[in-house]
Amino acid sequence: MWNNSQWEQENQELLKEWYLDKITGKAPDSAVRKIHCEGCGGIFYTRIHSKRYCNCWCAKLGNWKHQRQRRLAARADRVCAVCGKKFTPARSDALYCSSVCRQSAYRQRVTAKSSGQNGHLI
């Protein structure tokens, strides 16, 4: 089955001519757009309004780039819950700047639980 993407990939020169005609005013109602691919960064021409990638592989690359940016934004600088230092976490759910702070927070939690349980025996 023939689809628009295959036709556009094979006829980029024709689409480029139509785009240039649109710019110069020879065909002002032309629906051809010049797009910078979000996956590879290359330039391609299309008549499809919602298209952002030149092919399926570039769509995967673009999706990976967006996911990487979202993960990086989720790992914004934080303040350690124990020592108060500002740090950039390696994971998005990190609360402590180091294993030392993580361990001391654990010890504080454990001793707080054990001291609260034995309080009724006194």
Side-chain angles (χ1 to χ4, degrees):
M1 182 171 168
W2 194 264
N3 64 23
N4 284 336
S5 287
Q6 284 177 317
W7 184 88
E8 283 186 347
Q9 286 177 359
E10 293 174 4
N11 294 296
Q12 281 295 299
E13 291 301 318
L14 178 63
L15 287 169
K16 184 177 181 178
E17 288 176 24
W18 290 354
Y19 178 76
L20 293 175
D21 287 345
K22 176 183 174 180
I23 298 252
T24 57
K26 293 179 185 174
D29 59 340
S30 176
V32 178
R33 299 181 309 137
K34 180 180 179 180
I35 305 291
H36 291 275
C37 179
E38 293 182 14
C40 66
I43 295 173
F44 70 100
Y45 300 89
T46 183
R47 295 184 301 173
I48 301 171
H49 177 70
S50 61
K51 196 165 184 180
R52 297 183 307 186
Y53 307 103
C54 58
N55 58 37
C56 292
W57 178 248
C58 285
K60 287 181 184 180
L61 288 177
N63 187 28
W64 292 338
K65 285 180 184 179
H66 288 298
Q67 286 177 350
R68 190 177 315 118
Q69 289 171 352
R70 269 186 258 128
R71 284 192 306 265
L72 229 124
R75 292 188 307 125
D77 286 348
R78 296 192 183 159
V79 177
C80 179
V82 174
C83 66
K85 277 197 249 176
K86 193 173 185 180
F87 73 102
T88 303
R91 294 173 47 145
S92 61
D93 59 344
L95 300 174
Y96 311 107
C97 64
S98 65
S99 58
V100 174
C101 287
R102 183 176 42 81
Q103 185 66 29
S104 67
Y106 170 74
R107 287 185 178 143
Q108 287 172 0
R109 283 195 313 267
V110 169
T111 55
K113 282 183 183 178
S114 65
S115 65
Q117 288 176 354
N118 295 335
H120 68 283
L121 297 176
I122 297 176

